Amino acid sequence: MLDLKMYINGEWRDSRSGEKRDIINPANGEVIAQAAEGTVEDAKEAIQVAKDTFESGVWSDLPAEERASYLYKIADKIEENAEELARLEVMDNGKPLREAEFDMADAAACFRYYAGLINKPEGVTYQVSDPVQSIVVKEPIGVCGLIVPWNYPMLMTVWKVAPALAAGNTIVYKPSEITPVTPTKLFEMMEEVGIPKGVVNMVMGPGATVGNAIAESHDVDLVSFTGGTVTGRKIMQAATGNIKKLSLELGGKSPNIIFADADFEVAVDYALFGIFCGTGQVCAAGSRILVEESIYDKFVDRFVERAKKIKVGPGLDPETEMGPLVSEQHMEKVLGYIESGKEEGAKLVCGGNRITENGLDKGYFVEPTVFVDVTPDMKIVREEIFGPVVVIQKFKDEQDAIRIANDTDYGLAGAVFTQDGAKALRVIKKVRAGITWVNTFHNTYNEAPWGGYKQSGTGRALGTWGLDTYQETKQININLEVEPIGWFKN
Ligand code: NDP
């Protein structure tokens, strides 16, 4: 059994309250670890340490290349330990092993990307009207509060830690209280490569107390949060006290638009991947499939035929294609949405049940679930379910597809499937979302910006945009003719 402690000022510590939380394997309900249940006082101490460490300059004053050298070493460590990390991720989050293996490879690549980027920025100078040289420099923001969800425990952590460290900030990080295992391993690796004490600090515990303490602290300069839109709204409110910088990566209800002229089998294949990868617990999941009416019935038949064949099971079984939901509580939430779909009159054409056969009764498994004959006001059409549940809607033409696609409060992602390149571009340009795909789904690159329109968040992760998030921009104006200005005569 793993004993997970918090990491504050270079020391591994239990919570001040001494309380622990059981960490459960969602495939079988077994306790795999116990984690420190942190308190507001623990969070305050970690924030003070991060503030003092930032002000000491031990990290922010290092040459960028030297900071980068630590990031490269962390990437190496992740790769050296990738097999163990992937297995731990499966046991904590439930995802199939091959998904966890991708996450670890992506995590190492993300550290390398920011290690490579940090000493590359070019200076900016301006020709201004005075005899002044105006130059622009980037500086770290200070103390960054990083709060992440449970669906990609390692990768979401790295998307924040790597650019924040590259930019020279210090960190107070909080994992989801149900998936702290691989984040703890990451902090162990950061200790091993010699990141100076106090630069990276990890507190555990409930979002409502520990997370909120980070969001409202006057000594935290930025909060970068990934999670649900409801929580994002609370964080925005908590952050007003000291006008914190905010980066919010929130939920989605993303449309996947399939035209009659698309390659049919490719579209079906990606539509399945779009919703059922990650058991639907992916912020960018294609949870609303929109299909042109002339192929609608054929599409639904084929989609359901293939959805029924998806192998659901424990993530460590090499045959498994879709794992359990992350927790019993989340499974109940997803089953509740399925009930609401039935009550509101949608037609269930696939799945809809918890799976308890073949030794899966102790885990939190739900069948791939498909609803048709939905109306725009139904909860299953409007709200993010974050599970293996999809609605398939019918559209008449391009304008109708765009209208339905944008009929949502969210704006995270969207996709179009068609063999007509001009139509693909026309439609995707009209989809109000930050991450879009044509004839593909879910591709994510360290180089490209990640984030949403509307209530899917504010700011962008990854790429140069992700680095900007963790930097302040300063203008420095240098007088080249040092003489009195003569504004006042006497
Ligand atoms: P939550 O919003 O419930 O939680 C996310 C994190 O915020 C957790 O660490 C949680 O703590 C913490 N938290 C909860 N309440 C507060 C608070 N009042 N103040 C500060 N922190 C708080 O999301 P889930 O963990 O349930 O994750 C699922 C959600 O995340 C989905 O809606 C999904 O769309 C979104 N998401 C978005 C992504 C994106 O890139 N846009 C990527 C991945 C997920 P704890 O749970 O430990 O109590």
Side-chain angles (χ1 to χ4, degrees):
M1 169 104 59
L2 294 164
D3 178 23
L4 307 177
K5 296 185 191 296
M6 299 186 291
Y7 187 67
I8 301 171
N9 204 17
E11 287 172 16
W12 294 96
R13 307 224 197 130
D14 281 320
S15 152
R16 284 182 186 214
S17 69
E19 282 185 31
K20 303 254 184 196
R21 165 182 291 267
D22 286 342
I23 306 300
I24 310 283
N25 180 343
N28 56 23
E30 284 174 9
V31 178
I32 55 165
Q34 285 208 310
E37 184 80 330
T39 63
V40 169
E41 291 309 310
D42 292 312
K44 284 184 176 168
E45 185 184 346
I47 292 165
Q48 188 63 47
V49 166
K51 183 174 185 237
D52 293 345
T53 309
F54 181 73
E55 285 168 3
S56 77
V58 65
W59 185 251
S60 56
D61 288 351
L62 282 186
E65 202 174 319
E66 212 171 311
R67 289 200 303 271
S69 72
Y70 288 98
L71 269 58
Y72 282 121
K73 285 182 203 154
I74 301 168
D76 292 345
K77 284 267 175 203
I78 293 173
E79 272 177 359
E80 282 161 26
N81 296 288
E83 210 175 304
E84 185 209 350
L85 290 167
R87 289 182 75 81
L88 289 171
E89 196 78 311
V90 173
M91 288 165 72
D92 195 6
N93 164 280
K95 61 178 68 190
L97 191 57
R98 68 174 170 173
E99 288 185 26
E101 285 167 351
F102 274 117
D103 290 357
M104 298 313 144
D106 278 357
C110 186
F111 268 108
R112 289 217 175 88
Y113 174 80
Y114 282 109
L117 188 66
I118 191 59
N119 56 6
K120 303 295 183 298
E122 293 164 13
V124 181
T125 64
Y126 291 102
Q127 298 275 340
V128 292
S129 52
D130 290 326
V132 160
Q133 186 70 64
S134 184
I135 64 175
V136 179
V137 297
K138 299 278 184 154
E139 296 181 345
I141 285 181
V143 177
C144 295
L146 312 179
I147 303 174
V148 305
W150 42 255
N151 60 342
Y152 289 85
M154 177 64 125
L155 197 57
M156 286 302 109
T157 303
V158 170
W159 280 17
K160 296 182 189 308
V161 169
L165 281 185
N169 300 284
T170 57
I171 287 168
V172 179
Y173 161 83
K174 191 193 98 58
S176 161
E177 57 190 342
I178 55 176
T179 53
V181 177
T182 54
T184 306
K185 293 286 162 195
L186 177 66
F187 275 72
E188 283 174 13
M189 292 185 278
M190 291 197 284
E191 182 185 39
E192 281 165 23
V193 304
I195 301 263
K197 72 180 179 118
V199 174
V200 292
N201 303 278
M202 174 175 64
V203 288
M204 296 173 185
T209 53
V210 173
N212 182 62
I214 296 170
E216 72 177 9
S217 169
H218 275 241
D219 293 326
V220 172
D221 302 290
L222 166 140
V223 165
S224 174
F225 166 78
T226 300
T229 295
V230 172
T231 314
R233 203 170 282 124
K234 287 184 194 160
I235 287 180
M236 267 184 132
Q237 282 160 357
T240 56
N242 66 335
I243 317 291
K244 266 181 200 65
K245 310 279 182 289
L246 280 179
S247 167
L248 303 174
E249 304 290 329
L250 308 177
K253 192 76 182 175
S254 299
N256 186 0
I257 304 168
I258 294 162
F259 283 96
D261 64 359
D263 182 312
F264 184 78
E265 288 300 329
V266 168
V268 171
D269 200 49
Y270 272 104
L272 289 160
F273 179 59
I275 180 62
F276 297 126
C277 166
T279 320
Q281 304 166 116
V282 180
C283 50
S287 51
R288 292 185 296 138
I289 302 175
L290 318 186
V291 183
E292 194 163 0
E293 58 186 357
S294 61
I295 60 159
Y296 183 82
D297 292 339
K298 182 180 163 198
F299 182 93
V300 171
D301 288 348
R302 181 70 175 135
F303 186 87
V304 168
E305 182 192 352
R306 287 198 56 192
K308 284 183 173 160
K309 291 184 187 155
I310 292 174
K311 293 197 178 68
V312 183
L316 289 178
D317 180 341
E319 297 293 308
T320 290
E321 295 177 318
M322 193 178 96
L325 289 161
V326 76
S327 67
E328 185 170 11
Q329 193 189 12
H330 188 56
M331 176 185 70
E332 293 302 339
K333 188 174 159 194
V334 170
L335 291 171
Y337 271 113
I338 294 172
E339 280 313 303
S340 92
K342 289 194 253 178
E343 279 162 19
E344 289 188 311
K347 187 172 167 196
L348 181 68
V349 289
C350 180
N353 302 299
R354 180 177 183 180
I355 308 174
T356 51
E357 299 86 42
N358 304 323
L360 301 186
D361 56 316
K362 301 264 183 338
Y364 315 128
F365 297 92
V366 171
E367 293 170 326
T369 298
V370 183
F371 280 105
V372 297
D373 294 351
V374 297
T375 54
D377 53 325
M378 289 179 179
K379 269 172 75 175
I380 55 167
V381 176
R382 302 218 75 80
E383 296 182 19
E384 182 182 47
I385 299 173
F386 224 54
V389 183
V390 70
V391 295
I392 309 184
Q393 295 167 275
K394 199 183 283 183
F395 70 83
K396 288 189 177 55
D397 54 23
E398 266 181 62
Q399 293 315 314
D400 199 31
I402 293 163
R403 182 187 59 76
I404 300 170
N406 288 335
D407 183 16
T408 171
D409 288 338
Y410 293 108
L412 189 60
V416 175
F417 284 78
T418 171
Q419 297 195 55
D420 178 340
K423 179 159 72 179
L425 193 55
R426 270 197 313 271
V427 173
I428 213 71
K429 283 182 70 178
K430 290 283 180 194
V431 172
R432 304 281 299 154
I435 306 150
T436 61
W437 298 287
V438 174
N439 294 325
T440 183
F441 212 100
H442 276 324
N443 317 49
T444 313
Y445 304 102
N446 284 320
E447 297 81 357
W450 184 271
Y453 287 21
K454 301 200 268 185
Q455 293 187 31
S456 289
T458 174
R460 293 292 179 271
L462 298 180
T464 53
W465 302 266
L467 187 60
D468 276 350
T469 296
Y470 298 95
Q471 292 180 312
E472 291 281 19
T473 303
K474 177 183 279 179
Q475 56 168 300
I476 303 176
N477 301 302
I478 306 160
N479 192 352
L480 304 179
E481 292 179 10
V482 185
E483 290 170 0
I485 188 168
W487 188 268
F488 300 106
K489 299 296 174 214
N490 301 304

